[in-house]
Amino acid sequence: MQLHDVWFVLIAVLWIGYFFLEGFDFGIGVLTKLLARDRTEKRVLINTIGPVWDGNEVWLLTAGGATFAAFPDWYATLFSGFYLPLLLILVCLIIRGVAFEYRHKRPEDRWQTNWEHAIFWTSLIPAFLWGMAFANIVRGVKIDQDKEYVGSLLDLINVYSVLGGLVTLTLFTFHGAVFASLKTVGDIRDRSRKLAARLGVVTAVLALVFLIWTQVSRGDGKSLVAMAIAVPALAGALGFNRAGREGWAFALSGITIAAAVAMLFLTLFPNVMPSSLDAAWNLTVTNASSSPYTLKIMTWLAGVATPLVLLYQGWTYWVFRKRIGTQHIVDVH
């Protein structure tokens, strides 16, 4: 395996980590409207991710930086062709972070309500757009012989990409509901588990259609293995959630996300961004990568930094591992 292949795998791992962690972040944000009955319960939900949400977004920054350094042509074509959707995601992430920090700064009801609306919408929109973006990457977009995107924004809106967006939105919300039941106590925990059961059924139907469509149209034996992991994992998550085994349910919902993302990357390889105009114009791990020397330096740096980041983030989750409930919320105003 050559270094550009290694870095394709590493970037896939970074995206898997991001969607696993940020997935329940987005889900919690959506659940502030779907699950919480009052402001106190909204604070409970937000506090479940309060210590970790910003660390989860580091995975996105690392994935973007690694793509820029390892596959500059892929980065350039992706960010120019998907400029408006990615800009909207970026704006949402900025507003979302500000909302988490500023929501409690003033006691006025209107102030807090507006920031709570912002948390909901800036969680829902990226959860949907990420699915659309990756569905379009797998499907193929209009790339010419100069490795430039020559399509329009409307070309990115199609049945397959919209289905992909609905899958990530429902899957992340289900993942967030399972996480909420894992991290809370009392009535909100019970309602999280019940909501997860309903969301899981919708997620399973949409995900099954999307994965089968992907496998039939672009898959191979390796992607079929990933699909064979994702589908039973989602069914297992639903079963353990129904049995009240939140830890196992959360682990399996995470495995579902990991296997589904892995399936998309396995479907792509050795391409990184297929051209729908001519297969000869596909961006591949070979023609879109940096020089071997650059990849070698990056490999050494990643080998040193990655274990440290994983240890620190794992320690953070361990420190903030306890459940919380409405009885732990103090009204500072």
Side-chain angles (χ1 to χ4, degrees):
M1 180 180 287
Q2 299 185 41
L3 282 179
H4 51 64
D5 299 326
V6 171
W7 273 98
F8 179 85
V9 173
L10 291 177
I11 289 172
V13 170
L14 289 171
W15 280 108
I16 289 172
Y18 174 66
F19 286 138
F20 180 99
L21 297 172
E22 191 78 334
F24 68 76
D25 267 11
F26 289 143
I28 291 294
V30 174
L31 291 174
T32 57
K33 291 284 188 185
L34 301 183
L35 179 65
R37 290 177 173 172
D38 53 35
R39 178 149 294 141
T40 301
E41 290 192 349
K42 289 179 181 179
R43 290 174 63 183
V44 170
L45 290 174
I46 293 171
N47 286 355
T48 62
I49 61 173
V52 298
W53 69 266
D54 49 353
N56 294 345
E57 292 187 355
V58 171
W59 288 78
L60 173 61
L61 299 175
T62 308
T67 305
F68 172 77
F71 300 99
D73 288 330
W74 182 14
Y75 181 93
T77 305
L78 176 64
F79 278 78
S80 60
F82 292 36
Y83 179 78
L84 288 178
L86 293 178
L87 177 62
L88 181 55
I89 290 174
L90 178 60
V91 171
C92 285
L93 294 181
I94 293 172
I95 295 175
R96 186 168 174 266
V98 173
F100 284 141
E101 299 299 329
Y102 276 74
R103 173 186 51 85
H104 62 282
K105 296 298 185 182
R106 289 170 54 179
E108 292 88 345
D109 181 74
R110 184 175 180 180
W111 172 271
Q112 296 195 11
T113 299
N114 288 338
W115 287 120
E116 288 164 0
H117 288 323
I119 290 172
F120 171 76
W121 288 109
T122 57
S123 299
L124 185 148
I125 292 172
F128 178 77
L129 289 181
W130 279 127
M132 284 194 70
F134 272 83
N136 273 304
I137 292 173
V138 171
R139 176 176 178 268
V141 292
K142 294 180 178 180
I143 301 173
D144 65 10
Q145 66 271 25
D146 297 320
K147 303 179 182 178
E148 295 181 359
Y149 178 75
V150 293
S152 66
L153 179 62
L154 293 178
D155 291 323
L156 302 179
I157 304 174
N158 51 77
V159 176
Y160 181 74
S161 67
V162 171
L163 177 60
L166 292 174
V167 169
T168 51
L169 175 58
T170 54
L171 182 55
F172 291 168
T173 307
F174 168 72
H175 194 42
V178 174
F179 180 77
S181 67
L182 177 66
K183 289 289 292 180
T184 58
V185 294
D187 181 59
I188 193 171
R189 175 188 178 189
D190 296 332
R191 285 189 285 112
S192 297
R193 193 163 59 243
K194 292 177 182 178
L195 180 59
R198 296 194 296 269
L199 287 170
V201 173
V202 177
T203 302
V205 173
L206 293 174
L208 191 61
V209 173
F210 179 76
L211 294 179
I212 291 175
W213 189 346
T214 303
Q215 178 62 32
V216 170
S217 60
R218 295 165 183 84
D220 56 15
K222 294 178 181 178
S223 61
L224 182 60
V225 171
M227 179 180 169
I229 296 173
V231 174
L234 181 55
L238 281 167
F240 279 110
N241 175 73
R242 186 177 296 275
R245 302 291 296 275
E246 293 101 341
W248 281 104
F250 179 71
L252 287 171
S253 67
I255 291 174
T256 302
I257 293 174
V261 177
M263 178 183 176
L264 297 182
F265 276 91
L266 288 169
T267 301
L268 275 176
F269 188 81
N271 299 314
V272 294
M273 208 166 175
S275 172
S276 60
L277 300 177
D278 191 329
W281 299 339
N282 290 351
L283 297 183
T284 68
V285 293
T286 303
N287 65 23
S289 69
S290 294
S291 67
Y293 183 69
T294 299
L295 297 178
K296 184 177 181 180
I297 294 175
M298 290 175 59
T299 303
W300 281 105
L301 292 174
V304 174
T306 302
L308 297 176
V309 172
L310 292 175
L311 286 173
Y312 173 76
Q313 194 161 23
W315 175 77
T316 303
Y317 276 91
W318 173 256
V319 170
F320 296 101
R321 67 189 181 278
K322 292 184 178 179
R323 296 176 182 266
I324 63 172
T326 54
Q327 66 269 31
H328 300 117
I329 300 298
V330 178
D331 188 357
V332 296
H333 299 298

